[in-house]
Every structure is written in C-alpha cells, then in structure tokens.
Amino acid sequence: MLSVAVVGSGPSGVYTAQALLQQSRVPDVRVHVLDRLPTPYGLVRYGVAPDHEKIKSLQNSLRAVLEDERVTFVGNVGVGGPEGVSPARLAELYHAVVYCVGASADRPLAVPGESLPGSYSATRFVSWYSAHPDIGADPFARDALEARSAVVIGVGNVAVDVARILARGADELRATDVPRAALSALESSRVRDVHIVGRRGPSQARFTTKELRELGALPGARVVVDPAELALDPAYAAPDGLPGALPLPAVVRRNLEVLRGWSAGGAQAGGDVSGTAWDVSGEAGRVGAGAAGAVRRIRLRFFLRPVELLERGGRVAGVRFARTAPDGAGGVRDTGRYEDVEAQLVLRAVGYRGVELPGLPFDPVRGTVPHAAGRVLRGGVPSPGEYVAGWIKRGPTGVIGSNRSCAKETVASLLADAAALTRRTAADDPLAVLREWGLRPVEWAGWLSIERAEAELGRSLGRGPVKIPDWAGLLAAARDENA
C-alpha cells in the first residue's frame, strides 16, 4: 500500500487526492488529507465571496473526494508551526507527503501610513466576512460602521469581491452563511463611496468580466467611471488591438466594453485629475460628490499609484496617489501630479504571497518551495517523499481549476517514484501516532458535527446555515456527538 499525506484540504489538496485515487499505476493507495483547521475546503470555504453561491457549490465535488473510503480527512493538525508536526516527523508516518498549503500572506504596499488603524489587507477583510477562526471576534465592526468612504487598492477579482460586499445591502447577504457579527456590522455600514483603484490602465486590470459586470447589477449602487481616465489607455481607443501588436485577449475586450458602457452613462469619478481632489484637513471634498440617486457609489479609478496613507486623529483619513500615465512599453510612469482621496477604510488587494513553512526549503523571492515537476528540491536535489502542489508550488496564479492540472503533474512525479517510496517505512496507523504526540485530530465525523451545528445556528436566526467564527466554537461542535 502507498500511504500519502496531503497537507491542505483546499482545491489543490483535494485535487491531489483525487488524482491519486483516479490513477491505475498503484492500485492500493491510502490518502490522509491534513488541515490546520478543523474544517475542510480551504479558500472555497474561507475565500470565495458568500454571494458567489455557484463557486461555493464546488464544495460538493470536493466533498465527494473526501468521502471516498480511501481518503481520511484529518483536521486540527498543523504542520510546520510551533504547535504542529514538523515535516521531518510527518515524513516518518507516510511514504510521501504533498504540501498544498497555498499562499496565505498578502503583499504590502510599502508606503508610509500603511500600518495606521483603518488600513488592512483585503485578505483579512475576506477572512472576517467568511468567518475564518484566526480573525477573532469582530475587528472590522468599527470600520464598517463608521467609514463613509473606502478605498480598495488593486484591480483584480479580490478587489472587486470586497468592493461588492461593501456596496451590497445586508438584506441580500442574509441568505448567505456570513457570520452574525459581520452581517450586523455591514447592515449598519455608513459606507457610501467605494473606490477601486489601479496604478495602470483598464486593459491591464486583472478582474474577469463576470465579476466586473456584477458591480453594475447591485441594487442601490451605481458604478462611476471617468472617461478621461479610460482614454489614457491606448488599448481603450483600439479595442481590436494596436497597430503592429497582438490582438487584445477576449477578456480584456469584454472588460473594456463594459467600462465603455458605464462611462457613456455620463457619470464621472469625482476629483480633478490635475490636482488634489480632497483636502485631508476638511470633513469632505469633491471626491465625496457624485452620482445622484444612488445609495452607494462604486468608483473605478485608473492610473493612480498609492504613495502615502494620510492620517487624522490617529487613523486613516485618506490616500495620496501619484497620477501615472502609459510609458509606451507596457508600464506606467509618474506624471508629477498627485490626488488625495478621502477614506476611513483602506483595503489593499495587490496580490498574495507564499509563507515559509518551517522545515521546508523556501524561495523568498518567488514565495514558493523550490521544486522540479512537484518534487521538493533540497540543495537543488529532489528530496525523497516530499512534493508540492498549488500556489506554494507555482505562485498565486490561475483560477481554482488551474490547481487540477498542477496536482496531476505532481502526482505523476510521485507515482514515478512509487516503487522507491513504498520501500520506506510508514506508520500502520498515523492518526494513532498523532494522538500519541499530543494532537487532537478532527476527522470527517467531527466536520459533519460542525455542519449540523452551523445549520442549527442558522435555524435559530431564521437563516440558512451560518458559519461558526471562532476556534472554540468549531472544536466544541466537532466533539459534540449529539450535535
């Protein structure tokens, strides 16, 4: 029997387990899917926006893999951390270990004022409204309640997600699994302006057209675009492609079409692009004015690079941007002009980054584990029995489905090594050993108890299932045999 541990129960981990089950080269295989959390599904549970029900339904296909009799879910077991199992000790229990730990850190802006209260990573905000137990009770309540204007820095799908949640009415989120505290804070939110800001042009934005269009479909919200900013992008004026250049990708053409339609509606982003649009010493400014009749305004801004977060009363009060322009080589250059945008809440969504797992080699520049076709490299040489898949292998690129082919490549390498791997010693009962080491694994029955507890919590609130947002509550539910 080939005994494999997969560390991480998100899409990359489950796809790795699935690839192991579907192969025919090694007919007898046992897979333990380990996770630091007592809950499975990784970013599908804690990263997909609650109003994206179709994407969240991916849990059903992941569930089918985890319920296979050859697979065991092992939650509440950290690997590499101070209270978990070291990679070296884990290697004693299995013939092979595949690390699918993702890229959990966010990229900083590296500008003055970034650490001010009211400034957060979008990752943390997503974790809050997704009830990730590491976030704690309610860190965003004050910001969601008191902020009038929010700035989201970044023009990818994460930026669009957090902007949409800020602009969406709480009644629309009541049917989702958003935790009680987050729903209450969003229900009382005073946010009226949400700025999504990118340092480059619309043709270089990373959001998908579906996500972009969703902004325009929000009840009680209006999307505001400045035609002058769009016109700065050479590709905007030539949607079929620039002379002598390759045609624009289809998604870029569709995005530009959506933006062109919004800008033709006559609304423009507030502020004078030639100078300061908001005076940080005053209560409000020209950026606060805008589309009449809309409860909330979503302002898509381009060619603005953040250079400083402004402060008033010890908290974020705005963002100073440098106005940029295309440099003719695919990048941007500063123009020497600046614009201040009022904001009591700033969320940075400029990308993810892998985090070093103690005991594994790590490339700090790429934010990944060095590998060759998924085989972990130590000193440039493949380390027997150690593999990687997902973002920690290739970096934070692609969509959820990209993890499937990534996992298959890694599993192909593992199976090519199987004859040598099965000559290694593996534990007959790894879970028993983990318990001897002082860990308290949560198996699939424990997860089902959590599901029942969340369904009961939702019923008590007149809602569907509502997530339990804290470690104590999750572990208590996992061990309640009568839940």
mmCIF file of all heavy atoms in Angstrom, residues 114-154:
data_model
loop_
_atom_site.group_PDB
_atom_site.id
_atom_site.type_symbol
_atom_site.label_atom_id
_atom_site.label_comp_id
_atom_site.label_asym_id
_atom_site.label_seq_id
_atom_site.Cartn_x
_atom_site.Cartn_y
_atom_site.Cartn_z
ATOM 1 N N GLU A 114 0.852 52.863 6.047
ATOM 2 C CA GLU A 114 0.157 51.606 5.752
ATOM 3 C C GLU A 114 -0.304 50.885 7.015
ATOM 4 O O GLU A 114 -1.294 50.140 6.991
ATOM 5 C CB GLU A 114 1.066 50.682 4.933
ATOM 6 C CG GLU A 114 0.393 49.415 4.470
ATOM 7 C CD GLU A 114 1.270 48.605 3.528
ATOM 8 O OE1 GLU A 114 2.472 48.943 3.392
ATOM 9 O OE2 GLU A 114 0.765 47.657 2.911
ATOM 10 N N SER A 115 0.381 51.105 8.133
ATOM 11 C CA SER A 115 0.034 50.410 9.373
ATOM 12 C C SER A 115 -0.973 51.176 10.227
ATOM 13 O O SER A 115 -1.285 50.754 11.343
ATOM 14 C CB SER A 115 1.304 50.153 10.200
ATOM 15 O OG SER A 115 1.948 51.376 10.535
ATOM 16 N N LEU A 116 -1.501 52.277 9.745
ATOM 17 C CA LEU A 116 -2.482 53.052 10.508
ATOM 18 C C LEU A 116 -3.745 52.229 10.755
ATOM 19 O O LEU A 116 -4.145 51.409 9.912
ATOM 20 C CB LEU A 116 -2.858 54.326 9.760
ATOM 21 C CG LEU A 116 -1.861 55.485 9.773
ATOM 22 C CD1 LEU A 116 -2.280 56.547 8.746
ATOM 23 C CD2 LEU A 116 -1.791 56.103 11.167
ATOM 24 N N PRO A 117 -4.410 52.445 11.896
ATOM 25 C CA PRO A 117 -5.728 51.824 12.083
ATOM 26 C C PRO A 117 -6.671 52.223 10.958
ATOM 27 O O PRO A 117 -6.704 53.374 10.532
ATOM 28 C CB PRO A 117 -6.192 52.403 13.426
ATOM 29 C CG PRO A 117 -4.925 52.753 14.157
ATOM 30 C CD PRO A 117 -3.974 53.216 13.082
ATOM 31 N N GLY A 118 -7.423 51.269 10.478
ATOM 32 C CA GLY A 118 -8.296 51.506 9.334
ATOM 33 C C GLY A 118 -7.696 51.030 8.026
ATOM 34 O O GLY A 118 -8.378 51.026 7.002
ATOM 35 N N SER A 119 -6.428 50.609 8.061
ATOM 36 C CA SER A 119 -5.750 50.080 6.879
ATOM 37 C C SER A 119 -5.534 48.582 7.076
ATOM 38 O O SER A 119 -4.939 48.164 8.072
ATOM 39 C CB SER A 119 -4.401 50.779 6.679
ATOM 40 O OG SER A 119 -3.605 50.094 5.732
ATOM 41 N N TYR A 120 -6.022 47.794 6.140
ATOM 42 C CA TYR A 120 -5.957 46.342 6.268
ATOM 43 C C TYR A 120 -5.664 45.702 4.908
ATOM 44 O O TYR A 120 -5.840 46.325 3.861
ATOM 45 C CB TYR A 120 -7.298 45.763 6.758
ATOM 46 C CG TYR A 120 -7.785 46.301 8.064
ATOM 47 C CD1 TYR A 120 -8.699 47.353 8.097
ATOM 48 C CD2 TYR A 120 -7.375 45.756 9.276
ATOM 49 C CE1 TYR A 120 -9.172 47.855 9.297
ATOM 50 C CE2 TYR A 120 -7.845 46.250 10.484
ATOM 51 C CZ TYR A 120 -8.743 47.294 10.491
ATOM 52 O OH TYR A 120 -9.209 47.790 11.682
ATOM 53 N N SER A 121 -5.298 44.447 4.968
ATOM 54 C CA SER A 121 -5.233 43.673 3.734
ATOM 55 C C SER A 121 -6.648 43.222 3.380
ATOM 56 O O SER A 121 -7.478 42.964 4.256
ATOM 57 C CB SER A 121 -4.332 42.448 3.900
ATOM 58 O OG SER A 121 -4.950 41.482 4.735
ATOM 59 N N ALA A 122 -6.920 43.141 2.091
ATOM 60 C CA ALA A 122 -8.209 42.610 1.657
ATOM 61 C C ALA A 122 -8.366 41.164 2.115
ATOM 62 O O ALA A 122 -9.486 40.713 2.396
ATOM 63 C CB ALA A 122 -8.332 42.714 0.141
ATOM 64 N N THR A 123 -7.253 40.447 2.209
ATOM 65 C CA THR A 123 -7.292 39.059 2.679
ATOM 66 C C THR A 123 -7.912 38.980 4.060
ATOM 67 O O THR A 123 -8.740 38.106 4.344
ATOM 68 C CB THR A 123 -5.872 38.474 2.719
ATOM 69 O OG1 THR A 123 -5.261 38.623 1.446
ATOM 70 C CG2 THR A 123 -5.889 37.008 3.111
ATOM 71 N N ARG A 124 -7.531 39.906 4.925
ATOM 72 C CA ARG A 124 -8.070 39.910 6.286
ATOM 73 C C ARG A 124 -9.564 40.254 6.287
ATOM 74 O O ARG A 124 -10.352 39.681 7.047
ATOM 75 C CB ARG A 124 -7.291 40.909 7.148
ATOM 76 C CG ARG A 124 -7.663 40.890 8.622
ATOM 77 C CD ARG A 124 -6.677 41.720 9.440
ATOM 78 N NE ARG A 124 -7.079 41.794 10.831
ATOM 79 C CZ ARG A 124 -6.857 40.851 11.736
ATOM 80 N NH1 ARG A 124 -6.221 39.750 11.373
ATOM 81 N NH2 ARG A 124 -7.252 40.991 12.985
ATOM 82 N N PHE A 125 -9.941 41.181 5.423
ATOM 83 C CA PHE A 125 -11.352 41.554 5.326
ATOM 84 C C PHE A 125 -12.182 40.371 4.827
ATOM 85 O O PHE A 125 -13.264 40.089 5.342
ATOM 86 C CB PHE A 125 -11.499 42.755 4.390
ATOM 87 C CG PHE A 125 -12.877 43.351 4.349
ATOM 88 C CD1 PHE A 125 -13.386 44.023 5.440
ATOM 89 C CD2 PHE A 125 -13.656 43.237 3.210
ATOM 90 C CE1 PHE A 125 -14.669 44.576 5.405
ATOM 91 C CE2 PHE A 125 -14.930 43.788 3.163
ATOM 92 C CZ PHE A 125 -15.437 44.455 4.264
ATOM 93 N N VAL A 126 -11.674 39.664 3.818
ATOM 94 C CA VAL A 126 -12.360 38.473 3.307
ATOM 95 C C VAL A 126 -12.504 37.426 4.408
ATOM 96 O O VAL A 126 -13.557 36.811 4.579
ATOM 97 C CB VAL A 126 -11.613 37.890 2.095
ATOM 98 C CG1 VAL A 126 -12.159 36.516 1.717
ATOM 99 C CG2 VAL A 126 -11.696 38.833 0.901
ATOM 100 N N SER A 127 -11.429 37.233 5.175
ATOM 101 C CA SER A 127 -11.472 36.248 6.261
ATOM 102 C C SER A 127 -12.511 36.630 7.313
ATOM 103 O O SER A 127 -13.156 35.760 7.906
ATOM 104 C CB SER A 127 -10.093 36.117 6.914
ATOM 105 O OG SER A 127 -9.159 35.571 6.006
ATOM 106 N N TRP A 128 -12.680 37.935 7.532
ATOM 107 C CA TRP A 128 -13.669 38.405 8.511
ATOM 108 C C TRP A 128 -15.083 38.054 8.076
ATOM 109 O O TRP A 128 -15.835 37.428 8.823
ATOM 110 C CB TRP A 128 -13.520 39.914 8.701
ATOM 111 C CG TRP A 128 -14.597 40.555 9.511
ATOM 112 C CD1 TRP A 128 -14.861 40.347 10.839
ATOM 113 C CD2 TRP A 128 -15.565 41.507 9.051
ATOM 114 N NE1 TRP A 128 -15.933 41.123 11.228
ATOM 115 C CE2 TRP A 128 -16.374 41.841 10.152
ATOM 116 C CE3 TRP A 128 -15.801 42.117 7.817
ATOM 117 C CZ2 TRP A 128 -17.422 42.757 10.067
ATOM 118 C CZ3 TRP A 128 -16.839 43.031 7.721
ATOM 119 C CH2 TRP A 128 -17.637 43.344 8.831
ATOM 120 N N TYR A 129 -15.464 38.425 6.857
ATOM 121 C CA TYR A 129 -16.843 38.133 6.463
ATOM 122 C C TYR A 129 -17.033 36.674 6.075
ATOM 123 O O TYR A 129 -18.166 36.227 5.882
ATOM 124 C CB TYR A 129 -17.357 39.097 5.388
ATOM 125 C CG TYR A 129 -16.711 39.076 4.021
ATOM 126 C CD1 TYR A 129 -16.769 37.961 3.190
ATOM 127 C CD2 TYR A 129 -16.082 40.220 3.514
ATOM 128 C CE1 TYR A 129 -16.206 37.967 1.924
ATOM 129 C CE2 TYR A 129 -15.521 40.241 2.241
ATOM 130 C CZ TYR A 129 -15.593 39.107 1.453
ATOM 131 O OH TYR A 129 -15.043 39.109 0.191
ATOM 132 N N SER A 130 -15.939 35.910 5.985
ATOM 133 C CA SER A 130 -16.029 34.470 5.725
ATOM 134 C C SER A 130 -15.922 33.649 7.004
ATOM 135 O O SER A 130 -15.906 32.424 6.945
ATOM 136 C CB SER A 130 -14.931 34.033 4.746
ATOM 137 O OG SER A 130 -15.070 34.680 3.507
ATOM 138 N N ALA A 131 -15.799 34.319 8.174
ATOM 139 C CA ALA A 131 -15.777 33.652 9.484
ATOM 140 C C ALA A 131 -14.555 32.773 9.697
ATOM 141 O O ALA A 131 -14.636 31.731 10.344
ATOM 142 C CB ALA A 131 -17.055 32.831 9.692
ATOM 143 N N HIS A 132 -13.400 33.190 9.181
ATOM 144 C CA HIS A 132 -12.184 32.420 9.444
ATOM 145 C C HIS A 132 -11.851 32.521 10.929
ATOM 146 O O HIS A 132 -11.805 33.620 11.495
ATOM 147 C CB HIS A 132 -11.023 32.976 8.616
ATOM 148 C CG HIS A 132 -9.855 32.050 8.525
ATOM 149 N ND1 HIS A 132 -9.096 31.694 9.630
ATOM 150 C CD2 HIS A 132 -9.322 31.366 7.471
ATOM 151 C CE1 HIS A 132 -8.140 30.873 9.245
ATOM 152 N NE2 HIS A 132 -8.259 30.647 7.959
ATOM 153 N N PRO A 133 -11.616 31.398 11.600
ATOM 154 C CA PRO A 133 -11.434 31.436 13.061
ATOM 155 C C PRO A 133 -10.178 32.157 13.526
ATOM 156 O O PRO A 133 -10.085 32.525 14.698
ATOM 157 C CB PRO A 133 -11.388 29.951 13.452
ATOM 158 C CG PRO A 133 -10.961 29.244 12.206
ATOM 159 C CD PRO A 133 -11.562 30.021 11.078
ATOM 160 N N ASP A 134 -9.202 32.378 12.648
ATOM 161 C CA ASP A 134 -7.988 33.090 13.058
ATOM 162 C C ASP A 134 -8.223 34.593 13.243
ATOM 163 O O ASP A 134 -7.414 35.275 13.863
ATOM 164 C CB ASP A 134 -6.881 32.904 12.009
ATOM 165 C CG ASP A 134 -6.257 31.524 12.063
ATOM 166 O OD1 ASP A 134 -6.516 30.789 13.032
ATOM 167 O OD2 ASP A 134 -5.529 31.176 11.118
ATOM 168 N N ILE A 135 -9.303 35.130 12.686
ATOM 169 C CA ILE A 135 -9.509 36.574 12.673
ATOM 170 C C ILE A 135 -9.958 37.105 14.025
ATOM 171 O O ILE A 135 -9.642 38.230 14.401
ATOM 172 C CB ILE A 135 -10.527 36.954 11.575
ATOM 173 C CG1 ILE A 135 -9.905 36.685 10.216
ATOM 174 C CG2 ILE A 135 -10.947 38.405 11.668
ATOM 175 C CD1 ILE A 135 -8.633 37.462 9.968
ATOM 176 N N GLY A 136 -10.694 36.314 14.773
ATOM 177 C CA GLY A 136 -11.137 36.790 16.068
ATOM 178 C C GLY A 136 -12.552 37.329 16.012
ATOM 179 O O GLY A 136 -13.271 37.203 15.020
ATOM 180 N N ALA A 137 -12.952 38.018 17.073
ATOM 181 C CA ALA A 137 -14.350 38.385 17.274
ATOM 182 C C ALA A 137 -14.904 39.279 16.170
ATOM 183 O O ALA A 137 -15.773 38.875 15.409
ATOM 184 C CB ALA A 137 -14.524 39.047 18.634
ATOM 185 N N ASP A 138 -14.411 40.510 16.074
ATOM 186 C CA ASP A 138 -15.038 41.433 15.132
ATOM 187 C C ASP A 138 -14.135 42.624 14.835
ATOM 188 O O ASP A 138 -14.473 43.760 15.174
ATOM 189 C CB ASP A 138 -16.369 41.912 15.707
ATOM 190 C CG ASP A 138 -17.299 42.430 14.628
ATOM 191 O OD1 ASP A 138 -16.992 42.220 13.439
ATOM 192 O OD2 ASP A 138 -18.307 43.048 14.967
ATOM 193 N N PRO A 139 -12.996 42.428 14.201
ATOM 194 C CA PRO A 139 -12.037 43.521 14.039
ATOM 195 C C PRO A 139 -12.487 44.617 13.103
ATOM 196 O O PRO A 139 -11.966 45.725 13.149
ATOM 197 C CB PRO A 139 -10.794 42.808 13.495
ATOM 198 C CG PRO A 139 -11.340 41.611 12.771
ATOM 199 C CD PRO A 139 -12.521 41.183 13.590
ATOM 200 N N PHE A 140 -13.468 44.353 12.241
ATOM 201 C CA PHE A 140 -13.867 45.350 11.253
ATOM 202 C C PHE A 140 -15.153 46.076 11.627
ATOM 203 O O PHE A 140 -15.638 46.896 10.864
ATOM 204 C CB PHE A 140 -14.049 44.695 9.877
ATOM 205 C CG PHE A 140 -12.751 44.348 9.216
ATOM 206 C CD1 PHE A 140 -12.235 43.075 9.321
ATOM 207 C CD2 PHE A 140 -12.031 45.304 8.515
ATOM 208 C CE1 PHE A 140 -11.028 42.746 8.724
ATOM 209 C CE2 PHE A 140 -10.827 44.986 7.918
ATOM 210 C CZ PHE A 140 -10.323 43.703 8.021
ATOM 211 N N ALA A 141 -15.713 45.788 12.799
ATOM 212 C CA ALA A 141 -17.005 46.380 13.152
ATOM 213 C C ALA A 141 -16.945 47.903 13.121
ATOM 214 O O ALA A 141 -17.796 48.561 12.521
ATOM 215 C CB ALA A 141 -17.450 45.896 14.521
ATOM 216 N N ARG A 142 -15.922 48.489 13.759
ATOM 217 C CA ARG A 142 -15.853 49.946 13.809
ATOM 218 C C ARG A 142 -15.705 50.540 12.416
ATOM 219 O O ARG A 142 -16.377 51.519 12.067
ATOM 220 C CB ARG A 142 -14.687 50.394 14.687
ATOM 221 C CG ARG A 142 -14.484 51.907 14.654
ATOM 222 C CD ARG A 142 -13.407 52.376 15.607
ATOM 223 N NE ARG A 142 -13.187 53.813 15.464
ATOM 224 C CZ ARG A 142 -12.329 54.504 16.194
ATOM 225 N NH1 ARG A 142 -11.623 53.905 17.134
ATOM 226 N NH2 ARG A 142 -12.172 55.799 16.010
ATOM 227 N N ASP A 143 -14.833 49.925 11.602
ATOM 228 C CA ASP A 143 -14.588 50.470 10.261
ATOM 229 C C ASP A 143 -15.832 50.351 9.385
ATOM 230 O O ASP A 143 -16.182 51.276 8.658
ATOM 231 C CB ASP A 143 -13.409 49.744 9.610
ATOM 232 C CG ASP A 143 -12.147 49.916 10.442
ATOM 233 O OD1 ASP A 143 -11.548 50.983 10.393
ATOM 234 O OD2 ASP A 143 -11.801 48.967 11.164
ATOM 235 N N ALA A 144 -16.495 49.204 9.452
ATOM 236 C CA ALA A 144 -17.687 49.016 8.638
ATOM 237 C C ALA A 144 -18.822 49.922 9.090
ATOM 238 O O ALA A 144 -19.640 50.363 8.301
ATOM 239 C CB ALA A 144 -18.123 47.554 8.687
ATOM 240 N N LEU A 145 -18.855 50.220 10.383
ATOM 241 C CA LEU A 145 -19.919 51.058 10.917
ATOM 242 C C LEU A 145 -19.675 52.539 10.656
ATOM 243 O O LEU A 145 -20.603 53.291 10.392
ATOM 244 C CB LEU A 145 -20.051 50.828 12.427
ATOM 245 C CG LEU A 145 -20.710 49.519 12.872
ATOM 246 C CD1 LEU A 145 -20.476 49.301 14.355
ATOM 247 C CD2 LEU A 145 -22.200 49.563 12.586
ATOM 248 N N GLU A 146 -18.416 52.973 10.748
ATOM 249 C CA GLU A 146 -18.128 54.399 10.779
ATOM 250 C C GLU A 146 -17.532 54.967 9.500
ATOM 251 O O GLU A 146 -17.568 56.180 9.291
ATOM 252 C CB GLU A 146 -17.195 54.709 11.955
ATOM 253 C CG GLU A 146 -17.812 54.362 13.313
ATOM 254 C CD GLU A 146 -16.924 54.775 14.468
ATOM 255 O OE1 GLU A 146 -15.838 55.329 14.212
ATOM 256 O OE2 GLU A 146 -17.321 54.530 15.617
ATOM 257 N N ALA A 147 -16.947 54.152 8.657
ATOM 258 C CA ALA A 147 -16.323 54.675 7.442
ATOM 259 C C ALA A 147 -17.389 55.195 6.480
ATOM 260 O O ALA A 147 -18.413 54.552 6.264
ATOM 261 C CB ALA A 147 -15.481 53.595 6.770
ATOM 262 N N ARG A 148 -17.135 56.367 5.918
ATOM 263 C CA ARG A 148 -18.018 56.914 4.876
ATOM 264 C C ARG A 148 -17.497 56.555 3.491
ATOM 265 O O ARG A 148 -18.254 56.368 2.555
ATOM 266 C CB ARG A 148 -18.113 58.441 5.001
ATOM 267 C CG ARG A 148 -18.635 58.932 6.331
ATOM 268 C CD ARG A 148 -18.725 60.450 6.345
ATOM 269 N NE ARG A 148 -17.445 61.081 6.016
ATOM 270 C CZ ARG A 148 -16.458 61.286 6.877
ATOM 271 N NH1 ARG A 148 -16.598 60.877 8.135
ATOM 272 N NH2 ARG A 148 -15.332 61.865 6.514
ATOM 273 N N SER A 149 -16.163 56.519 3.384
ATOM 274 C CA SER A 149 -15.531 56.265 2.098
ATOM 275 C C SER A 149 -14.469 55.183 2.272
ATOM 276 O O SER A 149 -13.695 55.216 3.236
ATOM 277 C CB SER A 149 -14.882 57.551 1.568
ATOM 278 O OG SER A 149 -14.183 57.310 0.363
ATOM 279 N N ALA A 150 -14.459 54.203 1.371
ATOM 280 C CA ALA A 150 -13.480 53.124 1.420
ATOM 281 C C ALA A 150 -12.699 53.098 0.113
ATOM 282 O O ALA A 150 -13.266 53.308 -0.964
ATOM 283 C CB ALA A 150 -14.170 51.775 1.642
ATOM 284 N N VAL A 151 -11.405 52.855 0.215
ATOM 285 C CA VAL A 151 -10.552 52.706 -0.950
ATOM 286 C C VAL A 151 -10.021 51.282 -0.993
ATOM 287 O O VAL A 151 -9.454 50.793 -0.009
ATOM 288 C CB VAL A 151 -9.379 53.711 -0.925
ATOM 289 C CG1 VAL A 151 -8.331 53.330 -1.974
ATOM 290 C CG2 VAL A 151 -9.875 55.123 -1.181
ATOM 291 N N VAL A 152 -10.246 50.619 -2.112
ATOM 292 C CA VAL A 152 -9.706 49.281 -2.342
ATOM 293 C C VAL A 152 -8.604 49.426 -3.382
ATOM 294 O O VAL A 152 -8.867 49.839 -4.523
ATOM 295 C CB VAL A 152 -10.793 48.315 -2.840
ATOM 296 C CG1 VAL A 152 -10.202 46.914 -3.012
ATOM 297 C CG2 VAL A 152 -11.973 48.287 -1.884
ATOM 298 N N ILE A 153 -7.371 49.118 -3.001
ATOM 299 C CA ILE A 153 -6.233 49.290 -3.897
ATOM 300 C C ILE A 153 -5.945 47.967 -4.582
ATOM 301 O O ILE A 153 -5.580 46.982 -3.946
ATOM 302 C CB ILE A 153 -5.006 49.800 -3.123
ATOM 303 C CG1 ILE A 153 -5.325 51.157 -2.480
ATOM 304 C CG2 ILE A 153 -3.800 49.926 -4.042
ATOM 305 C CD1 ILE A 153 -4.236 51.675 -1.566
ATOM 306 N N GLY A 154 -6.122 47.954 -5.885
ATOM 307 C CA GLY A 154 -5.963 46.739 -6.669
ATOM 308 C C GLY A 154 -7.122 46.594 -7.633
ATOM 309 O O GLY A 154 -8.232 47.074 -7.360
#
